[in-house]
Amino acid sequence: MEQNPKSVRMWIITCLLFILGQAMENDRDFKMCGTWRHGNASRNLKSDLKVGCKVIEISANESTLSIQGSITAKCTRSSSIPLESNPLQNPSHFCVFWEPLLDLMIVEVNGKKYTLCESHGLQGTCCTDLSLEDQKIATLYGIENGSIHGDTISYNVMELYRFRGDTINCKEKFCDEASQKRSGANMIEEVVMKSNKTGRVDLPCAQSTIIEIKEGFTGLNFTLPAPRTVAPNMTPTVYLPSCLKSQSTITSKVVCTYYKDKSLFQRGSSDAVLLDDIVGLSVENEIIKNLPEPVRIRFHHSALPANLSRRCVSWDTREDNEVTWKYDGCETEIHDTETECRCNHLTYFAILVQVEQKATVRHLEALTFITAVGCAVSLVSCLVLFYWLCKRSLYSKRVKKTQISLVHRGLVVAIFLLCLFFILTGTMANVGKKIVCQITGSLLHYALLSTLCWMAMEVFHTFLLIRKVFNSTLPTWIFYLVGFGLPVLLVGILLLIENVYDVDIYGERKIVPSDDVNNPYRMCWMLENDKSLLAHYIINVGLLAVVVSSGAVMLFLVVREIHNRPDWKKIHVAFLSIWGLTCLFGTTWGLGFLDFGPVSETILFIFCIINSLQGFFLMLRYYALERMKKKDRSISDGSSSGSSKQHMLQTYEKS
Ligand SMILES: *[C@@H]1O[C@H](CO)[C@@H](O)[C@H](O)[C@H]1NC(C)=O
Ligand SMILES: *[C@@H]1O[C@H](CO)[C@@H](O)[C@H](O)[C@H]1NC(C)=O
Ligand SMILES: *[C@@H]1O[C@H](CO)[C@@H](O)[C@H](O)[C@H]1NC(C)=O
Ligand SMILES: *[C@@H]1O[C@H](CO)[C@@H](O)[C@H](O)[C@H]1NC(C)=O
Ligand SMILES: *[C@@H]1O[C@H](CO)[C@@H](O)[C@H](O)[C@H]1NC(C)=O
Ligand SMILES: *[C@@H]1O[C@H](CO)[C@@H](O)[C@H](O)[C@H]1NC(C)=O
């Protein structure tokens, strides 16, 4: 019971604070309405306004509604406007609006607006907080039910209301108000739009530029105005494309605002940090989406540690009250001390650069070293193996054998290229030319695809031999076409997409070591943007999946085919281990290029070792097979099971 009065009191105080808060918010702008009892003859709206901050009198008699006093910053006006005479409309409803920040005064009588003072930009000091000082009661004609912001002052018919104002710094007060509100950025852009100016408009919390775009607008580059505290070369630059000009209006205004006050935006709950600069763009009375050419905003900032990533985000304030940053609709281009956002939409929105943690690789130096050594060993192994294979096929007279040798040789060449380009990619990335890196990246990709294709063909060829599908052999050119031609086609398509749609697929990738984030390891490979990732998943992962799954199926088929034969027991260990090795290193190259996120360090080391030594393993496998064949041949000489052995030997060769 004790609690109750207390909580009621708290509640009342909260309500009072809320009401007071509302009242204070509304104080800046003034709105007085009432019902004007007037005669049936002609009527006028009389005004006599002067610069200053004293009193304003709103009075009415039989024929005249009169606004006079001195509260404006720039506007002086003395006039008498005849109002439309409609004897049936008596009394008339009227309102007086005063927006001191804009120096804007509008009187509305029976729904028709009369602008007494037009806005000429935002005012620094202005006359606001108009409070009732005096009122004079009338007999017959005058103002009935006079109200301020909807609260009735008096139900009586009054001849005159007099209000006294106060001088304040309007801009500061406005910024304070905006920062209290969720839609603060909207408030700012609306006021700027209403200020009826072109060019620069300054507020303590934001700097805006209003640009009028007319018929024949061909796009515009400009630097946003900035407060004096920001160095001129650090302020964002904006490019407005020609497609911003709407067809429906002759001219339209674009407001570009530079917010230095992050607090207007940072209330959304997010781990990400916003960079200092925020830019808002809006077009008068329009919601702009799906622009054919993007708006470009370039942010300048100090160099960031490489373990942070940046991303452009936008916020559609018209749709949600909460600050929820969206990632779609903007592309991010990252340079060392600059970030460019290309966005195809622009409602009431803001763009910023998000900073978040980026994955780093531990022991990158050791891994790089291991890979380099492994690749060097592989290169030599490939050369040796290639020489062996060529020598053997020279002496061999059997077509089938030549073909097996051809598939082996194809794989050796592909792995040789893969290791070669892998070693080159690090060097080429440091040349610094974009085109060089793009070419190296596409060559590396070609070598990887070629390796995967030749692996697929080893599997396929084995299948043909085991099932004895064809007694005759396939023409040689088919193997070359698939092994070297198909990758050309795939890479060619990607290069075509790159050029036609002007997207970057190949280019410089940075791998960030965790112990020295500012010295990333550069390599040329596929980039990390959406389109490259899509191509990566479809082509690389797809092809890898085909190779791995068909390899597994093949192993199963081979085992099923031959495990009932009498000599199976003798050789199955060697057989399985050779196949297993084949499958293992078939997958590893692919795995090395897949981004499986945080893998354990041990796995990473094993991947690197196996991947880079692939050429060496290929040579080992070939050597082991040759040894086994020779042994087999000497044992089976003259034995009755010769033909079955012969078949099995072929099976090994295929693998
Ligand atoms: C004005 O005209 C209306 C309708 O014609 C009439 O009812 C009203 O009495 C008139 N008022 C005066 C003040 O003449
Ligand atoms: C009504 O008021 C205006 C000024 O406020 C004055 O000039 C005019 O003479 C008045 N008309 C009558 C009929 O009192
Ligand atoms: C004035 O307000 C009272 C109470 O709300 C209402 O009854 C009356 O009709 C209003 N008078 C006019 C002229 O609008
Ligand atoms: C804006 O100001 C100019 C004069 O500077 C005026 O001619 C024009 O009508 C104004 N426009 C609006 C919408 O207030
Ligand atoms: C804007 O600047 C960019 C790069 O600085 C340039 O390519 C483009 O042609 C410029 N556009 C206009 C309309 O000046
Ligand atoms: C990112 O780099 C900075 C300095 O370069 C370092 O202080 C910070 O610990 C790094 N963060 C992580 C998670 O590695």
Side-chain angles (χ1 to χ4, degrees):
M1 282 279 101
E2 271 286 296
Q3 295 287 44
N4 258 353
K6 235 184 203 170
S7 59
V8 166
R9 213 176 309 140
M10 279 302 291
W11 190 78
I12 290 171
I13 290 172
T14 314
C15 283
L16 272 177
L17 281 177
F18 180 73
I19 292 164
L20 277 176
Q22 291 291 94
M24 275 168 68
E25 267 173 23
N26 290 336
D27 265 350
R28 185 171 46 86
D29 293 343
F30 174 79
K31 176 186 172 191
M32 186 204 158
C33 297
T35 310
W36 176 21
R37 294 201 167 275
H38 48 72
N40 283 347
S42 67
R43 300 187 299 278
N44 295 305
L45 171 62
K46 198 180 155 213
S47 64
D48 188 5
L49 296 166
K50 289 191 184 70
V51 171
C53 189
K54 292 193 187 93
V55 292
I56 180 161
E57 290 176 352
I58 299 170
S59 60
N61 58 21
E62 182 179 1
S63 61
T64 310
L65 175 65
S66 153
I67 320 283
Q68 57 183 326
S70 47
I71 56 166
T72 64
K74 296 236 172 78
C75 167
T76 50
R77 179 173 177 132
S78 184
S79 69
S80 182
I81 308 165
L83 298 172
E84 280 155 34
S85 233
N86 182 357
L88 292 176
Q89 211 157 38
N90 191 359
S92 301
H93 188 75
F94 77 94
C95 285
V96 178
F97 300 96
W98 165 235
E99 288 188 48
L101 178 63
L102 293 165
D103 213 28
L104 178 72
M105 187 176 288
I106 294 172
V107 176
E108 190 183 304
V109 183
N110 285 331
K112 195 169 187 312
K113 279 185 176 157
Y114 303 89
T115 305
L116 299 186
C117 285
E118 238 155 36
S119 170
H120 290 285
L122 305 186
Q123 303 305 318
T125 53
C126 48
C127 195
T128 183
D129 282 327
L130 296 181
S131 56
L132 186 63
E133 189 184 69
D134 199 5
Q135 48 190 350
K136 229 186 255 170
I137 203 148
T139 45
L140 184 56
Y141 302 111
I143 301 163
E144 190 180 356
N145 287 0
S147 67
I148 290 184
H149 296 299
D151 300 329
T152 307
I153 316 169
S154 166
Y155 293 105
N156 295 330
V157 182
M158 293 289 168
E159 188 191 318
L160 173 141
Y161 284 101
R162 181 187 290 130
F163 301 91
R164 182 168 287 279
D166 236 349
T167 307
I168 61 154
N169 186 329
C170 255
K171 286 184 175 178
E172 263 170 25
K173 181 159 188 190
F174 176 70
C175 279
D176 282 351
E177 274 173 33
S179 66
Q180 302 298 319
K181 284 199 177 168
R182 281 216 203 107
S183 55
N186 287 31
M187 268 174 73
I188 292 172
E189 291 193 7
E190 263 163 33
V191 154
V192 168
M193 194 70 88
K194 263 166 99 179
S195 74
N196 188 25
K197 261 192 82 169
T198 51
R200 186 173 167 160
V201 172
D202 278 328
L203 279 168
C205 48
Q207 278 73 38
S208 295
T209 306
I210 306 162
I211 292 157
E212 204 165 40
I213 56 179
K214 297 194 174 85
E215 215 66 65
F217 177 69
T218 55
L220 178 70
N221 281 321
F222 71 98
T223 304
L224 285 176
R228 257 171 250 114
T229 49
V230 177
N233 60 349
M234 292 297 280
T235 60
T237 48
V238 173
Y239 170 70
L240 302 176
S242 58
C243 55
L244 265 190
K245 174 78 193 70
S246 97
Q247 301 305 311
S248 54
T249 54
I250 303 161
T251 64
S252 49
K253 274 194 242 164
V254 183
V255 174
C256 304
T257 310
Y258 173 66
Y259 298 94
K260 198 67 199 172
D261 181 8
K262 284 197 286 183
S263 66
L264 278 170
F265 299 92
Q266 213 154 33
R267 259 160 288 148
S269 59
S270 163
D271 301 333
V273 185
L274 307 184
L275 277 195
D276 280 342
D277 299 337
I278 293 165
V279 171
L281 293 174
S282 57
V283 177
E284 194 176 21
N285 300 329
E286 273 183 81
I287 294 177
I288 289 185
K289 276 184 189 157
N290 303 328
L291 288 172
E293 194 190 343
V295 173
R296 292 203 291 257
I297 300 154
R298 188 173 274 254
F299 294 93
H300 306 266
H301 44 77
S302 50
L304 295 167
N307 60 357
L308 299 178
S309 77
R310 286 166 257 164
R311 209 163 167 193
C312 298
V313 291
S314 65
W315 174 33
D316 191 345
T317 54
R318 279 192 201 170
E319 277 174 18
D320 27 60
N321 285 323
E322 290 292 332
V323 181
T324 44
W325 295 102
K326 290 183 187 159
Y327 298 110
D328 52 335
C330 286
E331 284 184 9
T332 314
E333 195 185 293
I334 290 175
H335 305 277
D336 284 346
T337 61
E338 284 176 359
T339 306
E340 189 173 277
C341 301
R342 295 178 185 171
C343 300
N344 67 7
H345 65 302
L346 137 135
T347 49
Y348 265 121
F349 90 138
I351 288 183
L352 52 80
V353 175
Q354 192 182 36
V355 180
E356 62 195 0
Q357 206 60 49
K358 200 156 74 178
T360 55
V361 181
R362 296 183 65 186
H363 310 298
L364 186 65
E365 213 171 322
L367 289 173
T368 314
F369 180 74
I370 289 175
T371 311
V373 171
C375 276
V377 171
S378 281
L379 282 177
V380 174
S381 306
C382 283
L383 286 176
V384 171
L385 188 53
F386 191 72
Y387 171 74
W388 273 357
L389 288 169
C390 286
K391 209 169 89 178
R392 204 184 74 158
S393 72
L394 269 183
Y395 296 125
S396 167
K397 278 161 201 83
R398 301 222 311 271
V399 184
K400 239 179 204 166
K401 246 196 167 153
T402 320
Q403 202 157 76
I404 292 160
S405 176
L406 177 128
V407 175
H408 285 337
R409 259 183 301 169
L411 183 57
V412 169
V413 170
I415 289 185
F416 180 81
L417 290 179
L418 187 56
C419 285
L420 185 69
F421 290 134
F422 195 78
I423 289 177
L424 279 181
T425 186
T427 322
M428 289 308 183
N430 287 317
V431 170
K433 276 245 161 65
K434 191 179 165 191
I435 184 79
V436 173
C437 204
Q438 278 175 337
I439 291 171
T440 317
S442 58
L443 286 176
L444 180 62
H445 190 212
Y446 170 78
L448 176 72
L449 291 180
S450 179
T451 306
L452 289 174
C453 282
W454 281 107
M455 280 173 179
M457 264 181 306
E458 287 238 0
V459 172
F460 176 67
H461 199 249
T462 316
F463 178 77
L464 291 188
L465 289 171
I466 286 186
R467 304 311 308 245
K468 298 206 180 86
V469 178
F470 303 108
N471 273 330
S472 58
T473 51
L474 286 170
T476 312
W477 61 266
I478 288 199
F479 289 95
Y480 284 122
L481 190 69
V482 176
F484 292 126
L486 184 65
V488 170
L489 183 72
L490 292 174
V491 173
I493 289 173
L494 290 186
L495 287 176
L496 196 71
I497 291 175
E498 204 169 45
N499 282 313
V500 172
Y501 296 100
D502 196 29
V503 292
D504 285 343
I505 290 182
Y506 299 110
E508 189 187 288
R509 271 278 279 275
K510 285 180 185 161
I511 301 170
V512 182
S514 58
D515 42 3
D516 186 7
V517 292
N518 288 320
N519 278 322
Y521 176 77
R522 293 161 206 271
M523 67 177 282
C524 302
W525 178 235
M526 296 170 92
L527 293 170
E528 245 172 329
N529 57 39
D530 293 347
K531 299 207 171 62
S532 307
L533 283 178
L534 190 68
H536 171 72
Y537 283 117
I538 293 177
I539 297 177
N540 301 359
V541 179
L543 201 55
L544 186 71
V546 168
V547 172
V548 173
S549 53
S550 60
V553 169
M554 186 58 46
L555 182 60
F556 172 74
L557 285 180
V558 170
V559 169
R560 211 182 58 172
E561 187 93 351
I562 60 175
H563 83 279
N564 283 330
R565 298 190 186 165
D567 41 6
W568 162 247
K569 278 216 172 69
K570 248 193 282 175
I571 44 147
H572 73 281
V573 176
F575 178 80
L576 282 178
S577 60
I578 288 168
W579 253 107
L581 197 59
T582 313
C583 288
L584 177 70
F585 73 67
T587 52
T588 45
W589 256 115
L591 286 173
F593 287 99
L594 302 183
D595 304 306
F596 278 132
V599 284
S600 93
E601 276 163 35
T602 327
I603 293 180
L604 207 59
F605 270 97
I606 292 173
F607 276 167
C608 277
I609 293 169
I610 296 179
N611 270 339
S612 54
L613 285 176
Q614 205 144 39
F616 179 67
F617 286 148
L618 199 65
M619 189 179 73
L620 276 190
R621 185 184 67 141
Y622 181 79
Y623 181 70
L625 280 171
E626 288 292 303
R627 286 274 314 257
M628 275 173 62
K629 242 188 314 187
K630 270 196 193 126
K631 229 175 121 198
D632 227 41
R633 215 172 276 149
S634 57
I635 293 168
S636 71
D637 262 352
S639 98
S640 57
S641 60
S643 74
S644 127
K645 281 249 170 87
Q646 197 61 37
H647 177 75
M648 294 210 42
L649 286 177
Q650 280 175 359
T651 314
Y652 300 146
E653 278 174 17
K654 302 148 206 163
S655 49

